[in-house]
């Protein structure tokens, strides 16, 4: 594996916080190159010129952290193109500044709570992704309420759910219940139907937003493609 491949893999760990999808899968990486002396140059692009600065900042900062931490990378140049706040975001991330420092007089809070909010949504949506095939197969509320992460069928969605729960410091081991409230407490059998309806609506909303972003990006950058 080349260093460029390693950088690309690291970029695959960076998520659009609202969509809970990797920026590589979303085609947000316009280009990715690594020089012979280890300088990684990454250009990011977003669906619209006016994508929210807070989401944009998180992705650029996370990409910088992921790439600069790699062995063999001597410098990470992460650049957001074609955005109304590109200059501020790029300069702030390069200077290792936080969000409020990057937007003085405009931002009044850091982005930790925003990140947590979207992680919580991802956990709710992830429960629907894992439980929906079981519901469709006829598994009832009592059995669903008793399922643990270890007893649920192995899948990519289950692995992703474990990661999101671990990021929130919620139980993610094999003995942890599959269906949980935002505070990590178990969903009872009586609560399962409403809980899963809410989880399904959350998932559908995230996927609809993802489809919209994909459509905007394709229209904005018709005839071009990110480098995989």
């Amino acid at each position: 594996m080349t260093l460029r491949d390693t950088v690309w893999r690291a970029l695959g760990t960076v998520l659009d916080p609202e969509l809970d999808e990797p920026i590589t899968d979303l085609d947000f990486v316009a280009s990715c190159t690594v020089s012979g002396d280890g300088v990684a140059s990454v250009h990011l692009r977003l669906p619209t010129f006016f994508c929210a600065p807070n989401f944009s900042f998180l992705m650029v900062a996370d990409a910088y952290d992921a790439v600069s931490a790699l062995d063999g990378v001597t410098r990470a140049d992460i650049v957001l193109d074609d955005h109304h706040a590109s200059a501020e975001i790029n300069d702030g991330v390069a200077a290792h500044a936080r969000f409020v420092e990057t937007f003085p007089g405009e931002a009044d809070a850091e982005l930790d709570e925003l990140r947590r909010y979207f992680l919580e949504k991802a956990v709710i949506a992830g429960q629907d992704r894992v439980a929906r095939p079981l519901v469709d197969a006829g598994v009832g509320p009592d059995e669903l309420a008793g399922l643990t992460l270890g007893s649920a069928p192995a899948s990519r969605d289950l692995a992703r759910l474990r990661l999101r729960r671990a990021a929130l410091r919620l139980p993610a081991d094999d003995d942890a219940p599959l269906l949980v409230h935002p505070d990590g407490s178990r969903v009872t059998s009586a609560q399962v139907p409403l809980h899963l309806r809410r989880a399904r609506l959350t998932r559908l909303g995230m996927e609809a937003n993802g489809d919209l972003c994909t459509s905007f990006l394709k229209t904005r950058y018709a005839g071009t493609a990110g480098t995989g």
Side-chain angles (χ1 to χ4, degrees), residues 54-137:
N54 48 8
F55 298 160
S56 307
F57 182 90
L58 279 175
M59 285 183 274
V60 177
D62 288 351
Y64 177 86
D65 290 344
V67 173
S68 62
L70 297 174
D71 290 337
V73 171
T74 57
R75 189 176 79 239
D77 293 333
I78 313 296
V79 177
L80 176 62
D81 295 324
D82 304 331
H83 187 276
H84 76 278
S86 288
E88 294 88 343
I89 291 172
N90 294 336
D91 289 348
V93 170
H96 303 170
R98 299 200 73 191
F99 186 65
V100 170
E101 296 174 278
T102 300
F103 292 95
E106 298 178 64
D108 57 7
E110 294 299 343
L111 303 179
D112 305 276
E113 286 304 313
L114 181 72
R115 189 190 295 276
R116 182 176 183 86
Y117 169 75
F118 282 112
L119 273 173
E120 288 175 348
K121 287 188 66 175
V123 166
I124 292 294
Q127 291 176 69
D128 179 71
R129 290 191 180 98
V130 174
R132 186 59 45 187
L134 301 175
V135 173
D136 292 342

Side-chain angles (χ1 to χ4, degrees), residues 10 34 41 57 90 123 167 178 181 184 207:
V34 181
S41 299
F57 182 90
N90 294 336
V123 166
L178 170 63
H181 297 291
E207 291 177 355

Side-chain angles (χ1 to χ4, degrees), residues 108-194:
D108 57 7
E110 294 299 343
L111 303 179
D112 305 276
E113 286 304 313
L114 181 72
R115 189 190 295 276
R116 182 176 183 86
Y117 169 75
F118 282 112
L119 273 173
E120 288 175 348
K121 287 188 66 175
V123 166
I124 292 294
Q127 291 176 69
D128 179 71
R129 290 191 180 98
V130 174
R132 186 59 45 187
L134 301 175
V135 173
D136 292 342
V139 177
D142 290 343
E143 189 174 350
L144 287 168
L147 275 179
T148 62
L149 294 176
S151 62
S155 67
R156 181 181 176 184
D157 286 327
L158 179 62
R160 180 163 73 167
L161 178 60
R162 284 181 186 267
L163 289 174
R164 302 300 180 267
R165 283 170 58 157
L168 287 170
R169 298 185 179 178
L170 296 176
D173 56 90
D174 283 349
D175 294 331
L178 170 63
L179 301 183
V180 294
H181 297 291
D183 63 359
S185 60
R186 181 187 293 271
V187 174
T188 67
S189 58
Q191 294 170 331
V192 165
L194 179 58

